[in-house]
């Protein structure tokens, strides 16, 4: 009923959004512009990164400022395995998930002892240390120069094929995330977001679930990083920097953390306007800043969340009209 | 032969103490609760009643003393472990999941008890048995009609009963309620008290509650313990307590007894 | 390793610490005390530096008058930002996230505004002549200006502590931070207090920018670089704790000063390592009582 | 006829913004000059610009868009080496010539070399080699201390120098090093550490604002009285001289990839004057790089007679020889086929009082000039480096 | 008339909660607003205070239209609000909590001050320097009431003040209300404890489903068992 209360529902009846998203992304290449395929690819990858992040933030209520570490580590897993010829892409991509999850298993237990800002800052500190190692370890990671010319398998060499491959991987991941959110496990995560203390009193070992949420979101972040490495054939320590962690937070909030597809929408908007505006002016920052500002002010639940509200309100219009009409 | 022996207590507290800074909030408190008892804890504001609950249920770690649940020492264990052993509680300041539906509130608790919360891919709401059970629990507290509503938008009294429902979903042997009817209208209060008594009977629970409403306390409890300044001042039947001079000056006041 | 070196490093670390603290002070005020996270704090630092440049180098105002004007200017900008934008998101569900988003958009906007007005070349202002030199104690040198920075830093720390702990305004702020609705129900003018505190915090940001203008580079992009450093200081000190922030800055300053003697290759990670250690072993920050966290 | 389209990427925001914006202005000047004379083979030049954000991933995206959407004939630009390394990969994959105008990593012309890449500004090796020649003759410079930003450029600029100097002097010694992060705002503890180590020379590999901040903070410590300050790649740039109208010490040994007051040729003076007239400011060295880039492309197209055939273009561009503002009398910059690295004369100077380019009150003087051929790695060295990577 | 509500409508988001509430309170009266849980008592109070602003209708305080005034302005005009869920400031000490209560800026020679408050609630004096968050539930309730009194309001909105208080304290509270009344303070009370309400109030309003359904003086109400049954199930 109280549709305007954010967080009330984590995106139910969103089947229409699934349809729209699938159709739009599947149709992008039909427009015949390679550039759109590139952008679509980036949006999908960042969308996956953001949706994985939102499993932690929007669902479990843990604001991590260190997600770039997992994303970057995923990218470097693909980059290093492929460029050193250790493993083929088909092995490297799944391996990202293992590596991302493992990293979360190492860092997570230290982070989850804290809550609120302190948690946020500790994730930042650890991520920056991972960044520092990647940035400085020239012999292994290429240091700040990164790794270029990552050799991709023949089958995925064409951007178009890679695009559809990404589309498939990303949507399967979305579907998995959706299932996780709806599962008993997901219900516990949402309980933790709302009231961690009470969750403990129903017999749930809260920290274990928080850790599991970190691991899952690390897994998806790393997968996104791996996909990105395969798409750009080139990776760089910037991918692990805090600015990247910040970007994924901004995308999620912009799109709406309480709606399932909010983060994807946020990713789309940011990637799109960055691309559009950069073309026309050197003063792109003020434009993007202005657009973000407008979204913050006029879309109190993020883009999708606020659309949802409008739709519900419109649907309920008839019901409320009679009571609202009284002077 | 066995039957004549007094059954072992469900909960036993021995020489429990807790201090915050210099303030001794729980001071060498000992008592035992036999199975199936419906009892109340009363005492002035700040006497340490809620603290005692917190010590028993694992929210606080005692400075000294023991807590035994069915003969097993549990003090210092986490709330999660203690809840799983069979102690359910509600909170003085209602503690529910306000942004989720009423059903979901109870369902999570049921799933937790059934150890199904590690399931990743099956919908929570597709666990038919659990949903059915959650609905039954809601029904016992007359909340079944509101299953689909967002918990936070319920009236205060319903929220308090939901808090109890969440605790009951753990299928506990011992239920501890912290001021279960505070803030309720007389009507709701009457309903809730009836429900509590019914559940206690039907489920053969041991039930312990804190309350400042003396009509309720004296109306339903078999046994009353009085805390004052962290010390167990008295315990006894309602009749005994209502006549206890110390209890009257410290807590009841003259007026109500008149 | 001789005593002179250690003394020199210690003093060097102290100076760095004070600059760090000055920037962080505004952030502790707004973030630590009132729970409003201003990601754009560094942009006000930047504004302060440019305002000081405008006042001192272009308009020829005296140095300290310029610093004062710059702080006031940054504070005024902060009040405007609070009044026209931030205010609209108070009380919204997920407010913290929107604060990040909104103030982040201001980083972008202010950076471009600065670029539009002042261009991309590096600007400079000179210190007052009297402060150009340095004191020497044997081998150990300390710039006069740095001493002044230290004094200002201490004054700010003390002033803020007193303002927050000892005045009605400070008490009201602490009340607002835990419950804005209730504070206003008791007659506290919450919107005004929030505007004021935001202005004060951004004025402190501007002050730190103006004070560092003579010894740093005044250039677009310099704002974002100080924000993470100040966040670290605020957090390891304990939210809302001015002495904590001061101690945090000292720890970071000294660890860096001595760390570079032994591990020069890893300097970029020192502050993160310190933060991680502090948070692991003293999760509530250095000066907070155990368990005192909300 | 169709336009010759150049897709340029320069940082226009953040710390390196000055370089990017100067590059844009200079590229536009070159474009207008060429177009005013009727273009190249009758074709006009058109340059499109986009912020590189000094971010490799973003730059790759822009480069790809340039190629697929805007159908550019050439890619140009880039201030950061990491971005250069990323973009050269795109250039290779798509066979679109990439002209580097202002990034110095040697890797681009050695290990990571690919035929469609050309660089029209010095690399770190050239600066370091000149610097080593300069230092070798100064006997009292024995104890060295190095401080630089902690990333590849900072390290590599130093290492090349130290390696080359070591070949020629056995009596030099490294007494300490410090690697603050790039854009570190506060150098105080580094300065006290340097002073305690008492070196004869302090080598810094800072660029831009970091040099400014370091000098400002070191001044009250009288650091410059106690040791020589040596920055041979980015330090002599005009932006530093301009940023410190007061207080910049005399006798700092500096260089940059282009100077306003050297060489004293008509072409250089005209370039500087024109830039100043059009933008209201003096160019930083990056500007001359971009200017050279546009002329290099124009010359390539002129000689090849096409802008569309990359292989034919490579063949002629490899051998281009042309006169740039930074070329002294009697010398012309030329491209070396083996590594597509431009070969140029390098000059190192000292700060001396000079008010001819206000607001700066100091400019570089007392020049020492190093012949172009003396400061490039030999063909054998390059081949060895490439082989080492292949293995 | 010190307070008058005319046809007030209030919403939480899109859900309509008050459907035209009208009531009036005379100076110096103690009025009790009764009703089931969820009837709209607290919302009425929040609307008077401006925390949940009325979307339609008017709120008059001392004859002045205050419907659209800011919350703190109303507090400074002399409306004091004691919420039902004891919103003390947990990090502030008891003393600081009380000091905040003075923010309304209203001073009266015969008014409330720290000493008189401590006389009324001795526990608070004992915990003078303790953070409010560490008080027991009942202690917090006392603090909430005391804090509002510190502002010397003309009109006090007391939302379920007896909730969670020990019987002895309830007795003290009753005395306090009577004393406030003597001092000329007007009180609008919401109460579930009918025995208590009857002892302190002059008049009663009953709200149900967001509208006033009944009003009477206390004697009439006590005698009207039908109403008590119907709306309160007593
Ligand atoms: N975390 C804490 N730190 C310090 N003191 C505390 C803390 N928690 C409770 N206290 C103090 O312990 C005493 C007992 O509190 P408790 O909440 O147990 O009282 P109670 O008997 O439940 O009272 P009420 O009936 O008012 O709820 C109180 O004086 C309270 O101030
Ligand atoms: N924050 C809220 N959002 C949405 N609905 C709310 C909110 N608070 C209260 N309500 C609804 O508004 C109605 C009136 O609530 P209100 O709190 O005013 O009742 P009350 O009479 O004070 O009840 P109680 O005796 O339980 O305190 C109830 O149906 C309640 O569920
Ligand atoms: Mg209690
Ligand atoms: Mg109420």
């Amino acid at each position: 009923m109280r549709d305007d209360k954010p967080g009330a529902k984590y995106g139910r009846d969103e089947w229409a959004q699934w349809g729209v998203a699938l159709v739009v992304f599947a149709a992008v290449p039909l427009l015949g512009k390679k550039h759109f395929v590139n952008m679509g690819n980036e949006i999908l990858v960042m969308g996956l990164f953001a949706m994985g992040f939102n499993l932690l933030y929007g669902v479990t209520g843990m604001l991590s400022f260190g997600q770039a570490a997992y994303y970057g580590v995923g990218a470097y897993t693909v980059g290093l395995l492929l460029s050193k010829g250790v493993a083929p892409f088909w092995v490297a991509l799944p391996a990202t998930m293992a590596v991302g999850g493992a990293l979360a298993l190492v860092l997570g237990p230290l982070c989850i002892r804290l809550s609120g800002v302190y948690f946020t800052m500790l994730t930042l500190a650890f991520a920056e240390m991972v960044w520092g190692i990647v940035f400085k370890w020239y012999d292994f990671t290429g240091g700040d120069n990164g790794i270029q010319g990552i050799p991709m398998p023949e089958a995925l060499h064409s951007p178009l094929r890679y695009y559809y491959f990404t589309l498939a991987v990303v949507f399967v991941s979305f579907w998995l995330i959706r299932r996780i959110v709806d599962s008993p496990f997901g219900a516990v995560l949402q309980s933790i977001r709302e009231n961690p203390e009470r969750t403990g009193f129903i017999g749930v070992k809260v920290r274990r679930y928080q850790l599991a949420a970190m691991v899952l979101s690390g897994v998806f972040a790393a997968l996104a990083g791996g996909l990105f490495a395969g798409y750009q054939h080139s990776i760089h320590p910037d991918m692990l920097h805090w600015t990247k962690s910040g970007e994924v937070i901004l995308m999620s909030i912009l799109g709406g953390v309480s709606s399932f597809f909010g983060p994807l929408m946020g990713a789309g908007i940011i990637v799109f306007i960055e691309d559009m505006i950069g073309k026309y002016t050197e003063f792109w920052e003020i434009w993007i800043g202005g657009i973000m500002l407008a979204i913050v002010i006029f879309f109190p639940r993020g883009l999708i969340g606020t659309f949802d509200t409008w739709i519900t309100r419109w649907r309920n219009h008839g019901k409320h009209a009679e009571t609202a009409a009284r002077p | 032969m066995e039957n004549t022996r007094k059954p072992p207590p469900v909960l036993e507290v021995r020489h429990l103490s807790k201090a915050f800074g210099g303030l001794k909030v729980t001071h060498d408190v000992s008592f035992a609760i036999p199975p199936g008892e419906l009892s109340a804890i009363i005492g002035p504001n700040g006497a340490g009643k809620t603290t005692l609950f917190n010590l028993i249920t694992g929210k606080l770690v005692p400075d000294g003393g023991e807590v035994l649940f069915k003969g097993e020492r549990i003090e210092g264990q986490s709330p999660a472990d203690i809840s799983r052993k069979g102690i359910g509680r509600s909170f003085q300041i209602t503690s529910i999941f306000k942004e989720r539906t009423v059903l979901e509130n109870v369902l999570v608790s049921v799933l937790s008890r059934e150890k199904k919360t590690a399931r990743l891919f099956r919908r929570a709401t597709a666990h038919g048995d659990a949903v059915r059970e959650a609905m039954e629990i809601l029904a016992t507290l007359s909340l079944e009609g509101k299953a689909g509503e967002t918990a936070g938008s319920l009236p205060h009294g319903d929220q308090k009963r939901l808090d109890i429902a969440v605790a009951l979903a753990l299928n506990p042997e011992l239920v501890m309620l912290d001021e279960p009817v505070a803030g309720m209208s007389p009507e709701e209060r009457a309903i809730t008290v009836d429900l509590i008594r019914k559940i206690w009977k039907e489920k053969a629970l041991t039930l312990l509650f804190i309350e400042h409403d003396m009509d309720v306390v004296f109306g339903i409890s078999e046994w009353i313990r009085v805390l004052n300044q962290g010390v167990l001042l008295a315990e006894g039947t309602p009749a005994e307590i209502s006549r206890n001079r110390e209890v009257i000056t410290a807590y009841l006041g003259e007026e109500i007894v008149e | 390793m001789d005593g002179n070196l250690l003394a020199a490093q210690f003093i060097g670390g102290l100076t760095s610490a004070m600059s760090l603290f000055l920037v962080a002070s505004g952030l502790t005020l707004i973030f630590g005390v009132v729970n409003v996270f201003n990601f754009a704090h560094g942009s006000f630092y930047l504004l302060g530096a440019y305002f000081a440049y405008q006042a001192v180098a272009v308009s020829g105002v005296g140095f300290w008058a310029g610093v004062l004007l710059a702080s006031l200017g940054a504070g005024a900008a902060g009040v405007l930002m609070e009044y026209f934008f931030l205010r609209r998101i108070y009380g919204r569900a997920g407010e913290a996230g929107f604060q990040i988003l909104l103030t982040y958009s201001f980083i972008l906007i202010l950076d471009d505004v600065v670029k539009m007005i002042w261009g991309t070349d590096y600007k400079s202002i000179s210190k007052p002549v009297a402060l150009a030199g340095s004191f020497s104690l044997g081998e150990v040198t300390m710039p006069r200006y740095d001493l002044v920075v230290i004094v200002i830093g201490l004054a700010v720390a003390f002033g803020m502590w007193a303002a927050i702990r000892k005045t009605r305004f400070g008490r009201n702020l602490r009340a607002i931070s835990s419950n804005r609705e209730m504070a206003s129900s008791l007659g506290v003018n919450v919107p005004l207090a929030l505007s004021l505190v935001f202005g004060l915090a951004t004025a402190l940001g501007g002050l730190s920018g103006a004070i560092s203008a003579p010894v740093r580079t005044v250039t677009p992009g310099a704002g974002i670089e100080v924000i993470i450093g100040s966040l670290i200081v605020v957090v390891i000190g304990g939210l809302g704790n001015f002495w904590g922030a001061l101690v945090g800055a000292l720890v970071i300053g000294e660890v860096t000063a001595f760390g570079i003697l032994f591990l020069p290759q890893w300097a970029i990670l020192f502050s993160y390592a310190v933060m991680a250690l502090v948070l692991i072993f003293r999760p509530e920050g250095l000066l907070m009582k155990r368990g005192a966290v909300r | 006829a169709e336009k010759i389209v150049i897709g340029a990427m320069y940082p226009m925001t953040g710390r390196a913004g000055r370089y990017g914006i100067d590059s844009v202005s200079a590229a536009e000047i070159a474009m207008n000059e060429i177009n005013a004379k009727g273009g190249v083979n009758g074709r006009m030049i058109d340059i499109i610009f986009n912020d590189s954000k000094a971010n490799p991933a973003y730059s790759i995206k822009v480069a790809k868009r340039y190629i697929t959407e805007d159908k550019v004939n050439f890619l140009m630009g880039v201030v950061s080496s990491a971005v250069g390394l990323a973009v050269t990969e795109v250039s290779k994959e798509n066979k679109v010539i990439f002209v580097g105008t202002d990034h110095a990593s040697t890797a681009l012309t050695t290990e990571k070399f690919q035929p469609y890449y050309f660089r029209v500004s010095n690399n770190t090796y050239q600066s370091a080699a000149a610097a080593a020649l300069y230092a070798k003759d100064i006997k009292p410079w024995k104890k060295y201390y190095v401080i630089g930003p902690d990333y590849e450029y900072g390290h590599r600029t130093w290492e090349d120098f130290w390696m080359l100097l070591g070949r020629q002097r056995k009596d030099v010694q490294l007494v300490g090093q410090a690697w603050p992060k790039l854009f570190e705002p506060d150098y105080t503890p580094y300065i006290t550490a340097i002073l305690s180590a008492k070196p004869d020379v302090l080598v810094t590999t800072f660029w831009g604002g970091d040099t400014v901040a370091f000098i400002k903070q070191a001044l009250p410590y009288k650091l410059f009285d106690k040791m020589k300050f040596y920055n041979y790649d980015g330090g002599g740039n005009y932006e530093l001289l301009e940023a410190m109208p007061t207080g910049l010490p005399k006798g700092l040994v500096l260089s940059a990839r282009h100077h306003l007051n050297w060489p004293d040729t008509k072409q250089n003076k005209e370039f500087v004057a024109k830039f100043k007239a059009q933008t209201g400011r003096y160019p930083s060295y990056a500007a001359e790089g971009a200017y050279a880039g546009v002329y290099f492309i124009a010359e390539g197209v002129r000689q090849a007679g096409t802008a569309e055939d990359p292989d034919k273009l490579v063949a002629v561009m490899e051998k281009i020889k042309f006169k740039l503002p930074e070329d002294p009398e009697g010398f012309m910059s030329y491209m070396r086929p083996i590594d597509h690295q431009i070969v140029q004369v390098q000059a190192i100077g000292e700060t001396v009082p000079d008010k001819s380019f206000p607001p700066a009150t100091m400019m570089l003087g007392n020049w020492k000039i190093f012949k172009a051929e003396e400061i490039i790695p030999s063909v054998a060295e390059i081949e060895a480096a490439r082989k080492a990577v292949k293995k | 008339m010190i307070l008058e509500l005319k046809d007030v409508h209030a919403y939480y988001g899109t859900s309509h909660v008050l459907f035209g509430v009208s009531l009036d309170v005379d100076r110096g009266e103690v009025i009790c607003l009764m009703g089931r849980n969820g009837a709209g008592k607290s919302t009425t109070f929040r609307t008077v205070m401006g925390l949940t602003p009325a979307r339609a209708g008017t709120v008059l305080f001392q004859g002045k239209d205050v419907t659209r005034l800011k919350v703190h302005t109303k507090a400074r005009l002399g409306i004091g609000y004691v919420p039902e869920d004891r919103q003390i400031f947990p990090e502030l000490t008891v003393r600081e909590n009380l000091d905040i209560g003075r923010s309304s800026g209203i001073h009266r020679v015969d008014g409330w001050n720290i000493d008189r408050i401590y006389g009324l609630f001795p526990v608070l004096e004992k915990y003078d320097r303790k953070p409010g968050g560490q008080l027991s539930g009942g202690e917090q309730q006392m603090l909430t009431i005391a804090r509002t009194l510190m502002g010397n309001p003309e009109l006090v909105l007391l939302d379920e003040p007896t909730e969670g208080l020990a019987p002895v304290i309830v007795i003290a509270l009753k005395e306090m209300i009577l004393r406030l009344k003597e001092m000329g303070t007007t009180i609008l009370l919401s109460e579930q404890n009918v025995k208590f309400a009857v002892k302190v109030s002059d008049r009663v309003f009953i709200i149900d489903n967001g509208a006033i359904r009944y009003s009477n003086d206390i004697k009439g109400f006590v005698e009207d068992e039908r109403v008590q049954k119907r709306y309160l199930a007593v």
Side-chain angles (χ1 to χ4, degrees), chain A residues 178-191:
Chain A
R178 178 76 262 182
R179 292 307 296 233
I180 292 171
V181 170
D182 286 339
S183 72
F185 175 79
V188 168
L189 297 187
Q190 294 175 70
S191 302

Side-chain angles (χ1 to χ4, degrees), chain B residues 156 183, chain E residues 36-43 84 159-160 190 192:
Chain B
H156 174 83
Chain E
R36 294 198 171 88
N37 289 120
K41 304 181 291 294
S42 302
T43 309
E84 67 185 324
D159 200 355
E160 303 195 23
S190 137
Q192 303 285 11

Side-chain angles (χ1 to χ4, degrees), chain A residues 303-321:
Chain A
L303 286 167
I304 295 219
T306 308
F307 288 147
D308 273 354
T309 310
W310 290 345
I311 291 170
T312 322
R313 210 173 271 170
W314 177 73
R315 275 198 207 135
N316 290 348
H317 191 69
K319 282 187 237 162
H320 285 292

Side-chain angles (χ1 to χ4, degrees), chain C residues 57-235:
Chain C
V58 180
S59 311
V61 177
F63 180 79
W64 293 112
V67 168
L68 186 70
L69 285 174
S71 317
L72 291 177
V79 169
L80 292 179
M81 170 173 159
E82 200 277 344
Y83 188 82
F84 287 108
F85 300 102
L86 210 48
R87 180 165 289 201
R88 293 166 184 254
I89 62 169
Y90 292 150
R92 196 182 267 190
E95 184 186 325
F98 282 103
Q99 285 174 4
I100 297 181
L101 193 57
L102 191 147
T103 52
Y104 181 79
S105 66
F106 267 89
I107 296 182
L108 297 176
I109 293 171
L110 289 177
D111 225 42
D112 257 1
V113 166
V114 163
K115 208 168 77 181
M116 284 172 182
I117 300 178
W118 287 286
T120 48
D121 22 333
Y122 307 144
K123 305 293 187 194
S124 265
I125 59 177
S126 321
K127 310 173 206 180
V129 186
L131 297 178
S134 53
F135 302 106
S136 295
L137 266 171
E139 299 255 317
V140 180
T141 310
M142 171 157 219
R144 285 187 200 174
Y145 191 74
D146 291 0
L147 192 69
V148 173
V149 172
I150 292 181
V151 170
I152 294 177
L154 285 174
V156 166
F158 181 79
M160 286 298 116
W161 168 79
I164 297 305
R165 290 288 144 189
K166 301 286 164 198
T167 68
R168 273 181 51 185
F169 179 63
R171 189 200 59 212
N172 288 356
L173 289 183
R174 284 181 290 136
I176 289 170
S177 93
S178 69
N179 192 336
R180 289 184 200 143
E181 243 187 25
M182 200 56 227
S184 61
S185 303
L186 291 167
V188 176
N189 189 340
V190 173
L192 180 69
L194 285 173
S195 292
L196 278 181
V197 72
F198 205 81
L200 195 59
T202 48
L204 281 173
L207 173 73
S208 60
I211 287 199
S212 26
V215 290
R216 292 186 181 176
T217 321
V218 182
T219 159
I224 188 100
E225 288 142 26
V226 298
I227 183 75
I228 295 287
S230 7
L231 254 184
I232 292 177
V233 165
V234 169
V235 168

